[in-house]
Amino acid sequence: ALPHAEGAYPRRPNCIQDVDPIRQLAGVMIESKGVPLAGSVFTKRWMDFDKEARYGEIKTYGGAGHQYSASQWSAGSSFLWYIGAWCDRLSNQSYGFQFSDDWRSASMVVKVNPCVCVPWLPAWYTVPSCCILSDMVQTEASADGSEWDRRTATCPLCCGDEMRHTYYLRNVIQPDGTPGKFHAELEALADEKMVTAR
């Protein structure tokens, strides 16, 4: 689902697949229906990950820095997706994940380089939590990171918005390459052609 040129981009998986409560994040996850990004897929197998700090950071479509930043995220093939991927790459859009002590949830931050005319700068600006607040919480049925409830609140401080369900992240391909618990959603939601960044 997420191809990569091993010669051009040599990779070493992080240790996320060795952390049993979240190991399926090292496979391929899909964003469930109900959002414009439904059907996009990604893996956290190569994200920067510090097990001791319980923190990981992943770029959506590559960009400056991070040795393994390309081909971690993929979405449908259309003009709008091309523009979106290009903008994400110019701004080096990244997501940071701070996992809880029991690995059952993770608070999320969005990081960007707002100086898109200087795209070789890393994502140095963290979008304030007063603008957008996001997290992901494993569902009760998930004990290995195979299903997460993605929640978001927009302008929680000034408008009083509360965290609410946005969509589910579901495992469609396990870290060993075999079909995941929600593999049927890959065919149902993902486009026939996908956009990746190299």
Side-chain angles (χ1 to χ4, degrees):
L2 291 173
H4 57 89
E6 199 55 57
Y9 302 102
R11 299 170 188 257
R12 288 176 203 82
N14 56 34
C15 64
I16 203 165
Q17 66 187 30
D18 300 324
V19 182
D20 288 338
I22 60 170
R23 69 178 307 276
Q24 294 299 346
L25 290 174
V28 177
M29 306 295 286
I30 194 167
E31 296 184 3
S32 68
K33 59 186 175 183
V35 291
L37 298 174
S40 62
V41 295
F42 66 89
T43 182
K44 289 185 171 59
R45 179 185 297 262
W46 297 291
M47 77 172 176
D48 292 334
F49 180 66
D50 183 332
K51 182 180 177 182
E52 297 304 315
R54 297 175 187 269
Y55 182 79
E57 190 170 308
I58 186 174
K59 290 181 176 291
T60 51
Y61 284 100
H66 297 280
Q67 184 175 2
Y68 310 126
S69 67
S71 295
Q72 297 187 72
W73 208 291
S74 185
S77 177
S78 71
F79 179 74
L80 289 177
W81 279 119
Y82 295 144
I83 297 300
W86 179 70
C87 291
D88 283 356
R89 191 171 175 87
L90 281 180
S91 67
N92 291 299
Q93 182 187 10
S94 306
Y95 289 99
F97 301 86
Q98 182 63 60
F99 289 92
S100 61
D101 289 343
D102 62 0
W103 302 99
R104 297 285 304 164
S105 64
S107 58
M108 297 170 58
V109 294
V110 178
K111 299 173 80 176
V112 295
N113 164 28
C115 304
V116 294
C117 57
V118 190
W120 52 86
L121 292 177
W124 56 269
Y125 178 75
T126 300
V127 177
S129 59
C130 63
C131 296
I132 188 164
L133 194 59
S134 298
D135 72 5
M136 58 186 211
V137 179
Q138 285 203 63
T139 62
E140 287 187 20
S142 175
D144 58 359
S146 59
E147 185 177 46
W148 299 81
D149 181 3
R150 270 282 285 109
R151 306 183 313 165
T152 306
T154 306
C155 298
L157 296 180
C158 60
C159 299
D161 192 20
E162 297 180 0
M163 296 291 273
R164 66 188 75 203
H165 169 78
T166 309
Y167 58 88
Y168 289 106
L169 294 175
R170 292 177 168 149
N171 178 262
V172 291
I173 299 176
Q174 298 187 77
D176 64 5
T178 59
K181 184 176 180 181
F182 300 97
H183 189 264
E185 291 197 18
L186 186 60
E187 187 173 331
L189 295 175
D191 285 8
E192 187 175 324
K193 295 180 180 178
M194 304 291 275
V195 176
T196 60
R198 298 183 22 171

